[in-house]
Amino acid sequence: MKFSKKKKAILCFRHWDNKSFAAFKSLHKCVKIGVLCVTYSLSNISAQVPAQTDSTEVKAFSLDEVEVNAEALPDVFAQTGRTITQISRTDIEQAPVQSLTDILEFAPNVDLRQRGTYGTQADISIRGSSFDQTIVLLNGINISDPQTGHYTLNLPVDIESVEKIEILEGPAARIFGNNALGGAVNFVTGIQKNNYLKAGITGGQYGFYKALVSGALHSKQTSHHLAVSQTASDGYMANTDFKNLSIFTQNQWNNQLIPLDLQLGFTQKEFGANGFYGPKYPDQYEALNTFYAALKGATNGKIKISPSAYWRRNYDHYVLIRENPEAYQNFHYTDVYGANINFSLVSRVGKSSIGIISRGERIYSTNLGEDMGTPHKVPGQTDQWYTKTDQRNNLSLFAEQNLYIGKWSISAGLLFNHNNYIKDKIKVYPGIDLAFYPNHVFKIYTSVNQAMRLPTFTDLYYTGPMNMGNPDLKPEQCTEVELGTKMTLHSLTANIGYFYRNTTDAIDWIWLTDEQAWHTQNLTELHTHGISFNILWDVRRFTHKDFWLQSVSTYYNFMSSNKSADEYTSFYVLDYLKHKFNISITHRIIEKICVSWKIGWQDRNGSYFKYNIEDGSEVETPYEAFWQIDARIYRKTPHFNIFIEASNLTDKKHQDIGNITLPGIWARGGVIFTLGKAD
């Protein structure tokens, strides 16, 4: 590599030899690049999200001279032999969605089972895992809820503040610690480099509205971002109304010693929970308040040190009969708090990393946990007291080495984990990822990784009219093997992959006929196989950017899972998406008016007890496969974005979970104005 010094912070490169490409990260400078073979890829492209990228595939092409910020890599998802999907800001703006949960419907190998619309409540799983086996991160901070995975997507941030979404498929224990059996989803917000003010309003059927205001102030040493949004609806049927409020601020101080990033967030949700936790009770109601704070930093030296500390609190008030709370109600609040520190060094052979992950989880409840010595009063209530509690602490040490040897890329690591819930010795979870590049077109990759998940407080303790927890549950364990190949040829990208996961002591809610209730239990063993195929054609790179057809993409996922145990009805683990197929097309219709089409087909394994509200009878019914078509027509300029969109154009009502019927066609329209320049 040859270069000449042009400015103190700018290096002008004249030649790139495609070796030791991680060296940019060690320079800690802004690099100006002329012609260059860059790291570029698209991994498991979502048909619904046409521009998803993965940082692990190499493609050679020429670029005009651009500036590249060469700070050390902060992205923990840069694993060479793994399947990683990225959803960009452009993808989010083009999709016919109003919430972060809705955009995940369009990601490959992701199963989003919605109870309530527009982010009210949804369970997320990856590769046929359960929703408690997937962790959710905000800017790399694990904000998963230990009470139940139903609350993990209570994100204190609106879709307008998110710059990209990263989805890592498969076990990720050696990176993130406990509970990442199926994978991890990271929502990344972005500090703007320009001052701007943005305001928008959206309206639609069923009394739907969304109002948002956001803005940014930027100077040489500081950057500040604030976003406030509220979404509400009267509901598409009885007791499905909701009102969601989100406030998020991110602030950065760019001092030379250690740049700091402070994030604060709050979300409030109030909604009618028609049949959410049992069809016999259509008048359920829930209210949640979630607070979030995180402080992160990163040094600029040769050895990069990245400390962080965070806290998340979630309040939950559940009512069985909305108009009669005294009949049955529960109050809970959970605290999640932790501190992490990572050390990394980039050298000629790759990147070496070690780190410590410390995390505490605590719950106070009227229903979940062990008996408290002294009850605590429930805030805002005159005669309600928290009488149950539990707490557990986790400490992990990880070490990882990334190597680049010829056409091979290798990433291997270990996680040493101790949790006071587990009575025996320290657990070790290894993993290795391999990638081979025979040329600039093909990549062959494989990986083997292990992980574990602790039962949630709901799994352990919940007791209700139709549910019974199990305090004797053991942690889940899994080993997953992945094999695949990727091809990138000019404007065309394709990928085919296979995975096999063996899970022992899998936790599920099963139906006990003799007790007429759902009960948590460890399954003996689960064997899950999956095949995925995707292809993306970026038409604009094949023709020119003004061509009427802009992009076409498609993917298909198939999964099969079987258990080594007696027959029973599974509520979650065996109700996976057996088939998932999607097509996405984006094209212009006239001048700068574009249309984005999202066409999907889903076929779910398993069954549910279909409830007849007239006579109270229940009949075991298999899930029905369905097609869904969503579309958005939009016109976007630097100062406004106007759109009309609709979900479920075929008006096909369906179920993701049991007896909860999701809405048919739902049309919306809106406009977003921007003063200044938003990146």
Side-chain angles (χ1 to χ4, degrees):
M1 184 184 302
K2 301 177 181 179
F3 61 89
S4 59
K5 191 169 183 180
K6 188 175 181 180
K7 294 181 181 179
K8 184 176 181 181
I10 301 292
L11 299 180
C12 291
F13 285 77
R14 304 303 180 192
H15 177 68
W16 172 258
D17 60 10
N18 199 33
K19 295 180 181 179
S20 301
F21 48 81
F24 276 141
K25 306 299 180 183
S26 65
L27 294 173
H28 314 296
K29 299 180 185 295
C30 187
V31 180
K32 187 177 290 186
I33 302 174
V35 178
L36 157 75
C37 288
V38 302
T39 300
Y40 177 86
S41 78
L42 293 117
S43 168
N44 266 17
I45 308 300
S46 165
Q48 308 297 342
V49 188
Q52 299 163 340
T53 60
D54 162 351
S55 61
T56 63
E57 192 160 352
V58 174
K59 177 167 183 177
F61 59 93
S62 295
L63 294 177
D64 295 331
E65 189 171 87
V66 296
E67 290 189 359
V68 177
N69 188 354
E71 65 182 1
L73 183 68
D75 187 356
V76 294
F77 286 93
Q79 302 301 306
T80 55
R82 302 295 296 274
T83 301
I84 306 120
T85 299
Q86 289 192 21
I87 303 172
S88 71
R89 181 67 213 165
T90 300
D91 303 327
I92 295 171
E93 290 178 342
Q94 292 177 350
V97 300
Q98 294 296 318
S99 72
L100 288 168
T101 55
D102 291 338
I103 193 71
L104 294 172
E105 284 276 15
F106 306 139
N109 277 316
V110 171
D111 183 7
L112 193 76
R113 305 183 70 177
Q114 299 200 55
R115 284 184 170 85
T117 54
Y118 299 97
T120 299
Q121 190 180 106
D123 300 339
I124 183 173
S125 63
I126 299 174
R127 287 185 172 175
S129 62
S130 75
F131 63 95
D132 285 319
Q133 296 173 341
T134 300
I135 68 168
V136 171
L137 306 105
L138 180 57
N139 295 317
I141 298 293
N142 184 355
I143 60 171
S144 300
D145 195 289
Q147 179 184 335
T148 172
H150 298 323
Y151 302 154
T152 290
L153 284 173
N154 283 356
L155 300 166
V157 60
D158 183 73
I159 192 171
E160 283 297 320
S161 297
V162 172
E163 291 300 309
K164 65 178 178 177
I165 304 170
E166 301 167 315
I167 303 169
L168 173 62
E169 298 182 23
R174 78 176 201 260
I175 307 170
F176 302 118
N178 293 337
N179 300 339
L181 270 77
V185 181
N186 186 28
F187 296 91
V188 181
T189 61
I191 286 287
Q192 304 292 332
K193 296 182 179 180
N194 299 295
N195 299 332
Y196 79 92
L197 178 65
K198 182 185 294 186
I201 186 72
T202 302
Q205 291 176 274
Y206 309 115
F208 174 84
Y209 76 85
K210 178 178 180 179
L212 69 92
V213 177
S214 67
L217 289 174
H218 178 75
S219 67
K220 184 176 181 181
Q221 295 296 325
T222 64
S223 299
H224 306 279
H225 168 75
L226 174 66
V228 181
S229 70
Q230 181 166 287
T231 308
S233 168
D234 298 333
Y236 58 94
M237 64 179 186
N239 199 39
T240 59
D241 59 297
F242 65 86
K243 182 181 287 186
N244 301 334
L245 171 68
S246 172
I247 303 173
F248 180 78
T249 179
Q250 186 171 7
N251 307 273
Q252 292 182 347
W253 292 269
N254 304 314
N255 62 78
Q256 294 183 353
L257 179 63
I258 178 168
L260 295 176
D261 185 323
L262 174 65
Q263 304 160 33
L264 302 171
F266 170 74
T267 184
Q268 181 181 70
K269 296 183 179 183
E270 301 174 359
F271 52 90
N274 188 334
F276 274 28
Y277 308 107
K280 295 181 181 179
Y281 304 96
D283 298 321
Q284 298 171 70
Y285 170 82
E286 203 157 1
L288 302 109
N289 293 311
T290 305
F291 301 85
Y292 168 76
L295 180 63
K296 303 172 64 178
T299 63
N300 295 314
K302 184 176 182 181
I303 298 178
K304 182 177 179 180
I305 304 173
S306 304
S308 62
Y310 64 94
W311 168 75
R312 176 188 184 269
R313 172 171 290 183
N314 188 75
Y315 287 97
D316 167 42
H317 179 203
Y318 168 75
V319 177
L320 185 66
I321 302 173
R322 187 170 186 170
E323 302 303 323
N324 184 21
E326 290 75 17
Y328 183 88
Q329 62 182 328
N330 284 318
F331 295 87
H332 319 275
Y333 87 76
T334 56
D335 276 328
V336 174
Y337 45 89
N340 308 329
I341 185 165
N342 301 337
F343 302 85
S344 61
L345 172 66
V346 176
S347 63
R348 290 185 177 181
V349 295
K351 181 180 178 182
S352 306
S353 303
I354 60 171
I356 299 173
I357 304 171
S358 176
R359 178 180 172 94
E361 300 172 343
R362 181 179 60 191
I363 187 168
Y364 290 102
S365 172
T366 58
N367 186 276
L368 305 177
E370 305 287 348
D371 290 334
M372 293 173 59
T374 303
H376 291 184
K377 194 174 184 300
V378 176
Q381 300 293 317
T382 58
D383 57 352
Q384 297 292 329
W385 299 81
Y386 295 121
T387 59
K388 307 282 187 179
T389 188
D390 199 4
Q391 183 174 358
R392 56 195 185 197
N393 299 299
N394 192 87
L395 183 64
S396 300
L397 171 67
F398 72 86
E400 185 169 59
Q401 178 64 52
N402 295 288
L403 299 173
Y404 309 102
I405 304 173
K407 296 182 177 182
W408 289 90
S409 180
I410 305 168
S411 176
L414 290 170
L415 178 89
F416 300 89
N417 187 82
H418 177 265
N419 192 289
N420 64 334
Y421 178 81
I422 304 172
K423 304 303 181 184
D424 48 7
K425 298 179 181 180
I426 293 175
K427 298 290 186 179
V428 181
Y429 299 96
I432 184 169
D433 312 326
L434 301 174
F436 175 66
Y437 299 87
N439 50 50
H440 287 167
V441 175
F442 288 98
K443 168 187 172 182
I444 302 169
Y445 63 92
T446 186
S447 66
V448 182
N449 287 276
Q450 293 185 338
M452 64 89 79
R453 175 180 87 86
L454 296 171
T456 64
F457 293 131
T458 298
D459 292 333
L460 294 169
Y461 300 115
Y462 187 77
T463 300
M466 298 180 62
N467 304 86
M468 296 173 57
N470 180 0
D472 297 322
L473 289 172
K474 296 182 290 186
E476 303 176 290
Q477 313 278 340
C478 89
T479 301
E480 182 169 301
V481 180
E482 179 180 7
L483 176 66
T485 184
K486 301 175 185 178
M487 181 197 76
T488 303
L489 185 61
H490 191 55
S491 60
L492 192 68
T493 302
N495 167 242
I496 185 168
Y498 165 81
F499 77 90
Y500 164 72
R501 182 172 64 247
N502 178 48
T503 306
T504 57
D505 295 321
I507 300 170
D508 194 15
W509 289 84
I510 64 172
W511 180 255
L512 300 179
T513 305
D514 55 340
E515 298 181 9
Q516 292 294 300
W518 294 95
H519 180 78
T520 46
Q521 179 175 309
N522 287 108
L523 309 187
T524 305
E525 198 167 9
L526 279 174
H527 305 276
T528 305
H529 303 261
I531 298 174
S532 63
F533 170 79
N534 64 68
I535 187 167
L536 167 69
W537 184 27
D538 189 346
V539 183
R540 288 165 297 184
R541 293 186 59 207
F542 182 74
T543 56
H544 54 84
K545 65 179 182 179
D546 294 325
F547 189 64
W548 72 274
L549 183 61
Q550 297 182 358
S551 65
V552 180
S553 60
T554 184
Y555 72 79
Y556 169 71
N557 304 144
F558 168 80
M559 273 180 291
S560 176
S561 186
N562 61 77
K563 60 184 182 299
S564 302
D566 295 333
E567 291 298 322
Y568 55 82
T569 300
S570 165
F571 199 76
Y572 294 115
V573 169
L574 297 178
D575 290 354
Y576 55 88
L577 276 183
K578 190 172 184 177
H579 303 278
K580 185 178 182 182
F581 172 70
N582 280 277
I583 299 175
S584 176
I585 302 172
T586 302
H587 64 87
R588 288 191 304 108
I589 47 176
I590 53 172
E591 295 183 351
K592 295 183 179 181
I593 298 177
C594 299
V595 182
S596 177
W597 299 91
K598 316 297 181 184
I599 305 167
W601 177 69
Q602 295 185 8
D603 184 10
R604 186 174 300 282
N605 188 68
S607 60
Y608 65 99
F609 289 104
K610 189 173 184 178
Y611 181 72
N612 188 326
I613 195 170
E614 295 180 358
D615 59 14
S617 62
E618 293 181 319
V619 178
E620 188 169 359
T621 305
Y623 283 98
E624 182 181 353
F626 66 92
W627 286 90
Q628 180 165 324
I629 302 174
D630 302 345
R632 167 181 277 208
I633 302 174
Y634 61 94
R635 168 77 189 278
K636 187 176 187 299
T637 74
H639 297 292
F640 74 88
N641 182 5
I642 187 169
F643 61 89
I644 300 173
E645 63 185 23
S647 304
N648 199 359
L649 287 169
T650 59
D651 201 30
K652 174 63 177 178
K653 296 180 174 62
H654 63 278
Q655 293 81 26
D656 282 344
I657 299 176
N659 289 272
I660 303 172
T661 300
L662 296 174
I665 188 170
W666 198 326
R668 306 168 296 274
V671 61
I672 299 174
F673 295 97
T674 304
L675 297 177
K677 183 180 179 182
D679 292 340

